[in-house]
Amino acid sequence: MTSSNNYSEFIRSRHSARAYLPDQVPAEVIKQVLIDAQSAPSNSNTQPWDVHVVSGEKLRELSDALISEFNENGINPDFTLDYGEGVHPSRSIELAKKMYGILGIAREDKEGRTEFVRENLRFFGAPHAALLYIPPMGDRIRAAFDQGTYTENFLLSLRAHGYYGTPLGMISLMAPTTREFLGIDEEQKMVVAIAFGKADEDSPVFNVEPGRADLSETVTLHGIDLDI
């Protein structure tokens, strides 16, 4: 049995690598990751995830299609791209500052920043990607939550097998292009994609520490005496 300390260390070892080597993940490992992800909880066991794993030349072709569409027409998301106001967008901005700073991309270098956005569309060089869609279930909020539990299982299983995964919200901003490329019904909506493979640990972006909010910022306690 894994100790609580070891499990905590394992959980925290998961992060978004954002740089990958071209080495293929063995097919049997991918299958086991999919089996592990499938054990995720969902509302009333509805399991509302439709997963498309794309690899090799097919992934390169998809990447080319995404970049072409992005260069010509920009983004076209299924869901609103709005972080609201206050602390949530500020956390995103802080991460961007760290990332661009490490890469030496100046604030005024718009093309440099746009090129880094394109790296998302290249799946950060990963040899594989899983594109996750949800079906038309009400307002899709519950389905999106369930897809989140699936995604976390997928990412943790990758780490357990020695690999990394990076959730890519940017791919979801190009959802119609992915559906057309893969022949998916337009009623299937995308929340996230996951680039995955063996991380390039020599890349300057591999160890970017995004930071996490203090518990006191995100947790309110009721009926429990706990110092957070």
Side-chain angles (χ1 to χ4, degrees), residues 74-92:
I75 62 174
N76 186 11
D78 281 339
F79 302 101
T80 179
L81 177 62
D82 185 358
Y83 292 161
E85 298 179 357
V87 67
H88 303 105
S90 71
R91 291 171 184 159
S92 175

Side-chain angles (χ1 to χ4, degrees), residues 10 29 32-34 36-37 152-163:
F10 167 69
V29 172
Q32 188 59 57
V33 169
L34 292 168
D36 292 344
E152 186 69 3
N153 269 21
F154 193 103
L155 295 170
L156 291 176
S157 182
L158 283 171
R159 282 302 300 126
H161 288 89
Y163 297 94

